[in-house]
């Protein structure tokens, strides 16, 4: 019996035109085309989507959760990137 | 890793859980948490897959085309639920095929309810109404489970289960509007399924060895007995409304507590079925093993086809 398992694929679904594809889960399939077909049956049985992306899980590069602190720290210390940082004199409109 | 370090990590983990921050696959988690989830989610997946078998028994004998189409759609959903859950197990680093082989070797358990036979058409109604009804009671709180992928899979599953319960109840209602024989068929079916449905919530709290830790980890949100009581409270009035009698002489509404008091479950039967001595344990596992073995050529053919197609595409480019 062959022990070669089908690779794992991450599935992304666009629920309707105008919205981005969103990760919904994963599945196993022998190749990309079969992964799309399987994704239709597993993740869109109730018209949840109008478009499917599949990406082989092995190709996903992710940030390390244990490094999340230092990785995202630069954004935390820059309050001046938000409009609420700035004072607008009273009576000024449309800003 | 140093012991102090591990203690800090464990403390931070519990702190996150306490603050309702979800745990995601690559986050630190204690080994015992990981193991508990692998056991629970894979057994949940097996239950979905094995759960197809009692219903498959009636596909070719569904009373009409509508019922047959609905039953097929429901069985397909169960397969889908199994797939969501096996994917969730894989995010914990478990090997999907290993967990399936554990089912086939008898090492892994699945919901005992599926070890009971489906003897009449009314059983399709009872399974949807009671078994899926009990499953919903269990699964709705799991949508808030501390482990992200499991919680997300449960959201999908719960959305689909409510169709399962309604279609089952519709079958029962239809029978209860029918002839004397049809009404008897429904009552006879309820008599067989009521107690096993109550057993689905697991042992009494005093005897449930995993409950306390699972609640602390927020994998579980309610105890077995709490969920069982919720199920009895919502189901009894449904039965009464359509003229069915719950087979429990001790069942009585308690004005003081606002809940139904009900009789003692036959725990000896429960443990017998859990330990593999139910009416259909051997048959169910044998059917799953055969499905994997007989289907192996499909997996191999798909692999061969994928390789051939990859080669052809390479040549063309």
């Amino acid at each position: 019996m062959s022990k070669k398992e089908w690779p794992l694929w991450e599935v992304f679904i666009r629920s309707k035109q105008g919205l981005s594809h969103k990760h919904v889960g994963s599945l196993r399939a022998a190749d990309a085309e079969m992964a799309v077909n399987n994704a239709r049956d597993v993740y869109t049985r109730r018209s949840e989507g109008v478009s499917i992306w599949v990406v082989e899980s092995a190709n996903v590069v992710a940030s390390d959760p244990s490094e999340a602190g230092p990785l995202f720290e630069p954004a935390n210390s820059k309050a001046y990137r938000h409009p609420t940082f700035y004072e607008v004199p009273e009576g000024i409109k449309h800003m | 890793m140093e012991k102090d370090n591990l203690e800090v990590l464990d403390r931070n983990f519990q702190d996150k859980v306490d603050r309702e921050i979800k745990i995601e696959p690559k986050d630190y988690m204690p080994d015992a948490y990981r193991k508990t989830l692998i056991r629970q989610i894979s057994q949940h997946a097996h239950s979905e897959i094995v759960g197809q078998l009692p219903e498959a028994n009636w596909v070719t004998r569904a009373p009409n085309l509508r019922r047959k189409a609905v039953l097929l759609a429901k069985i397909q959903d169960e397969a889908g639920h199994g797939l969501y859950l096996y994917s969730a197990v894989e995010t914990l680093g478990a090997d999907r095929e290993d967990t399936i082989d554990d089912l086939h070797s008898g090492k892994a358990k699945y919901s005992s309810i599926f070890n009971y036979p489906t003897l009449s058409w009314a059983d399709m109604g009872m399974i949807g109404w009671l078994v899926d009804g009990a499953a919903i009671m269990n699964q709705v709180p799991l949508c808030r489970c501390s482990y992200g992928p499991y919680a997300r899979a449960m959201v999908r599953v719960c959305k689909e289960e409510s169709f399962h319960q309604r279609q089952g109840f519709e079958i029962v209602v239809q029978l209860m509007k029918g002839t004397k024989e049809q009404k008897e068929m429904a009552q006879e079916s309820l008599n067989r399924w009521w107690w096993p449905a109550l057993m689905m919530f697991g042992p009494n709290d005093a005897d449930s060895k995993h409950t306390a830790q699972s609640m602390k980890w927020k994998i579980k949100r309610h105890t077995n007995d709490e969920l069982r009581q919720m199920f009895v409270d919502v189901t009894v009035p449904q039965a009464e409304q359509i003229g069915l009698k719950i087979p429990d002489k001790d069942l009585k509404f308690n004005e003081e507590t606002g809940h139904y008091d009900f009789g003692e479950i036959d725990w000896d039967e429960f443990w017998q079925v859990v330990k593999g001595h139910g009416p259909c344990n051997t048959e169910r596992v044998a059917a799953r093993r055969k499905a994997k073995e007989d289907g192996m050529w499909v997996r191999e053919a798909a692999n061969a086809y994928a390789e051939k197609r990859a080669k052809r595409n390479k040549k063309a480019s």
Side-chain angles (χ1 to χ4, degrees):
Chain A
M1 227 173 260
S2 132
K3 274 305 280 180
K4 191 188 166 213
E5 282 178 22
W6 294 348
L8 192 65
W9 302 81
E10 298 304 320
V11 181
F12 301 80
I13 305 276
R14 185 201 297 287
S15 56
K16 61 176 198 180
Q17 298 292 117
L19 296 179
S20 351
H21 287 75
K22 194 176 158 211
H23 184 245
V24 292
S26 53
L27 52 74
R28 290 200 171 257
D31 71 7
E33 198 179 324
M34 289 185 252
V36 170
N37 290 334
N38 290 359
R40 188 206 57 176
D41 292 340
V42 180
Y43 291 105
T44 67
R45 285 193 303 284
R46 286 175 178 74
S47 316
E48 289 95 336
V50 294
S51 164
I52 298 171
W53 285 353
V54 295
V55 179
E56 204 176 328
S57 311
N59 291 329
V60 173
V61 180
S63 62
D64 179 353
S66 66
E67 298 291 320
L71 185 64
F72 297 109
E73 192 283 327
N76 293 339
S77 57
K78 293 175 182 62
Y80 48 83
R81 284 180 172 162
H82 298 278
T84 47
F85 181 78
Y86 301 93
E87 262 177 50
V88 177
E90 231 165 277
I92 300 290
K93 286 177 181 163
H94 309 300
M95 190 179 281
Chain B
M1 207 177 299
E2 277 174 47
K3 193 168 159 280
D4 291 355
N5 224 338
L6 208 58
E7 269 169 25
V8 172
L9 285 170
D10 282 349
R11 212 167 33 238
N12 289 345
F13 168 84
Q14 187 61 47
D15 180 56
K16 261 167 89 175
V17 170
D18 291 343
R19 286 186 292 138
E20 299 289 340
I21 297 174
K22 297 277 182 221
I23 306 302
E24 295 294 344
K26 297 278 164 63
D27 294 349
Y28 172 80
M29 61 187 88
D31 274 349
Y33 177 83
R34 187 185 300 275
K35 276 191 195 133
T36 297
L37 279 172
I38 290 175
R39 191 193 69 242
Q40 180 172 338
I41 303 174
S42 64
Q43 295 189 1
H44 194 161
H46 302 332
S47 301
E48 300 284 355
I49 299 297
V50 175
Q52 295 176 104
L53 299 170
E55 298 187 304
N57 187 33
W58 282 89
V59 171
T60 57
R61 291 175 285 165
N64 57 46
L65 194 55
R66 178 181 181 272
R67 294 288 184 210
K68 187 173 186 166
V70 168
L71 190 55
L72 279 169
K74 179 179 190 297
I75 292 171
Q76 193 187 6
D77 274 352
E78 307 297 0
H81 298 175
L83 291 175
Y84 307 152
L85 289 163
Y86 285 126
S87 296
V89 172
E90 286 199 272
T91 64
L92 290 157
D95 183 281
R96 180 183 300 224
E97 291 305 317
D98 285 351
T99 66
I100 292 170
D101 290 340
D102 282 348
L103 168 70
H104 297 179
S105 71
K107 192 176 151 205
K109 302 266 182 277
Y110 53 91
S111 182
S112 277
I113 193 86
F114 302 119
N115 291 316
Y116 290 87
T118 44
L119 304 176
S120 75
W121 170 251
D123 290 0
M124 294 303 98
M126 289 304 154
I127 287 184
W129 174 34
L130 301 178
V131 176
D132 290 288
I136 291 171
M137 280 293 166
N138 264 325
Q139 289 168 344
V140 167
L142 284 173
C143 295
R144 293 189 296 128
C145 163
S146 60
Y147 188 58
Y150 192 26
R152 292 191 285 273
M154 279 303 109
V155 171
R156 301 184 65 86
V157 167
C158 285
K159 270 187 201 158
E160 301 180 354
E161 290 285 2
S162 61
F163 136 60
H164 297 178
Q165 193 189 20
R166 280 181 182 217
Q167 67 83 34
F169 192 60
E170 191 193 72
I171 290 172
V172 180
V173 169
Q174 195 81 31
L175 287 171
M176 292 307 288
K177 284 184 189 158
T179 62
K180 185 169 162 282
E181 285 79 7
Q182 285 171 321
K183 287 179 191 169
E184 281 169 6
M185 187 201 277
Q187 183 63 56
E188 187 275 336
S189 176
L190 175 65
N191 294 349
R192 279 183 289 112
W193 289 97
W194 176 253
W195 291 103
L198 295 193
M199 292 177 200
M200 284 178 71
F201 298 96
N204 281 139
D205 295 348
D207 304 316
S208 174
K209 54 181 180 183
H210 301 301
T211 294
Q213 182 60 71
S214 286
M215 302 258 299
K216 186 164 178 248
W217 280 331
K218 297 191 195 280
I219 294 173
K220 254 177 120 150
R221 299 278 179 167
H222 303 281
T223 68
N224 296 352
D225 287 333
E226 284 168 8
L227 291 165
R228 191 167 11 244
Q229 185 68 55
M230 281 156 73
F231 176 76
V232 171
D233 288 345
V234 303
T235 312
V236 172
Q238 292 168 353
E240 283 170 354
Q241 265 178 41
I242 58 172
L244 280 168
K245 194 176 173 328
I246 304 282
D248 178 357
K249 60 179 172 38
D250 298 322
L251 184 78
K252 196 170 170 273
F253 188 73
N254 185 329
E255 296 285 350
E256 238 168 76
T257 60
H259 298 289
Y260 283 90
D261 293 335
F262 54 96
E264 184 68 17
I265 287 169
D266 181 351
W267 293 111
D268 189 45
E269 175 182 327
F270 172 80
W271 289 113
Q272 282 296 315
V273 183
V274 168
K275 285 176 185 149
H277 310 302
C280 301
N281 295 59
T282 314
E283 183 186 331
R284 299 291 185 235
V285 174
R288 289 313 311 153
R289 217 182 285 134
K290 184 173 186 307
K292 180 165 179 177
E293 284 162 12
D294 290 357
M296 200 47 87
W297 71 271
V298 179
R299 302 191 192 203
E300 287 166 6
N303 269 336
Y305 181 65
E307 273 167 37
K308 198 171 101 183
R309 184 151 59 187
K311 248 183 235 162
R312 200 168 43 215
N313 288 348
K314 214 175 188 180
K315 226 182 264 172
S317 65

